[in-house]
Amino acid sequence: TIAAAGLAAAECHRLRTGIAQRVDVSMRDALAAFRSERYLRVDGGLPPEPRHPVTGFYDTRDGRWIQLHANFPHHLHGILDVLGCGPARDDVAAAIRTWDGAALDTALADAGLCAALIRTPDEWAAHEQARALASLPLFEIERIGDAPVEPIGRGEPDQPLTGVRVLDLTRIIAGPVAGRTLASHGAETLLVNGPHLPNIASLVIDNGRGKRSTWIDLREAAGVAALRALARDADVFLQAYRPGALAARGFSPQALAELRPGIVCVSVSAYGHAGPWSTRRGFDSLVQSASGIAWHEQHAAHADGPRHLPCQALDHATGYLAAFGAMIALARRATDGGSWHVRVSLAQTGRWLQSFGTVPDGLHAPDVTFDDVLDRIDRAASPFGTIDAVRPAERLSATPPRFTLPPVPLGTDEARWR
C-alpha cells in the first residue's frame, strides 16, 4: 500500500511535468512506517501512553472473549454505564463475567460504544457483515458527477501535489495517515477538528506532520458555513466519520460535488459502507478482534488469550490506500474531468491482508526497537518540543516525500487556505 501511494504520487508528477521517476520501498522502511507511532519521541522521551487501562480483552460468562476500547472518556463512561460498575479494571472484569459475550457485544454496540466479540475466522466469514464486504472490492474510486478537466494542483510542481488543497477531517491513525501522506507529497493539508472531540496527543504529533490545524464546530451554523467555504476551494475532502454522519450536516459526497464540481471525496470507515455494521463504531484493534485476526494470533502463539498484530496494520494500510485513491482520482480528474468518491475501510483492508496467509515462524521474529530504526528517523523542532519521527518509507527518485511543516497543536491556524 505504501508503494501504491508512491506510484500514484509519481504518476501525478508525470502528468504535470512529463517526467517519470523510480519508486522504491524496502520491507524494512515499510515496517518502520507501519509502526510510526511507536517510534515517536518528544524531547528524547516517550509520549504519554494512549491506551486507557480499561481497554483490552476480557473473558465472559460463557467462555468467550470480548475486547473493550475505552481510550476516549465518553466511550469509557458509556461502557461503565452499561456494565454498572466502577472504573477499576478488576471491577470491569468482574462485571463482564456476568454477561454472555454475544449479548454484551450487542448491548455495547446498540449503545454506540466500542467493543468487539472475539470471533474465529469461520465465525466472521459466516457473519452478515463479512458477507456484505465479500461483495466489495478492496477500495472503490467512483465518478459521482460531471466537471471539466482540471490540472493537478496550482503553481510550479516541485512535488507531485504542489498546490493541491486537502481538507482532512480525520482523527487517530487511518485517515490521518492518508492526510499525512498527501502532505508529504506537497499537498496543502488543513486538519479540521471539532473543539469538543477527543483526540490522542501522540497521534496528533505523529500524524500532524506537514499539516496546519484549525477548529470548526459543525454543531453550529457558523461552523457549517466555514467548512462549506473551505470546501469550495478544496481539491480533496478526506473524512473518517461513520457513513452518513457528515451527510446529516450537508457534506455528503454528492452535496460536495454540487458545491465544488471536481472535488475528490475520500471516505474511511471501520466496517465498510455496506452491511448491517456499516454505521458501527470501530478501530483497528476492534476490527482485528471481530474478524478473526486476534483469534488467529492467539492460536498461532499458543497464548492464553487473544492477541493483536504487532502493529496497527489495518489502520496504516487503509491510510495509504486512501491516499493512493485520492491521487488516482486527481489524476483521473486531470485527464477525464469529473467529481470522484474514494471509499476504503479497515475491514476490507483486513480481509485483503488475511488473504495473503501467514509467515512461517513469524512470531519468532525479534522486535524492532527504536535504536534499530534510527537511520529512518527525522528530527524537527515543533511547538511540542523536539520531535523524532519516522520519515516516509516510499523513495521517489525525483521528488522524495518530505514534511515542510512541523506538527502543531490542534486549532493553531485560522480556517482558511494560504
Side-chain angles (χ1 to χ4, degrees), residues 39 87 93 143 150 355 357:
Y39 299 130
R143 184 176 178 134
E150 187 174 339
S355 73

Side-chain angles (χ1 to χ4, degrees), residues 1 4 6 28 54 70 72 87 180 186 220-221 289 327 337 340 358 384 413:
T1 58
R28 180 173 175 274
V54 167
F72 289 163
R180 186 184 73 188
E220 300 178 356
S289 293
M327 288 185 277
W340 298 84
T358 58
F384 300 101
D413 300 288

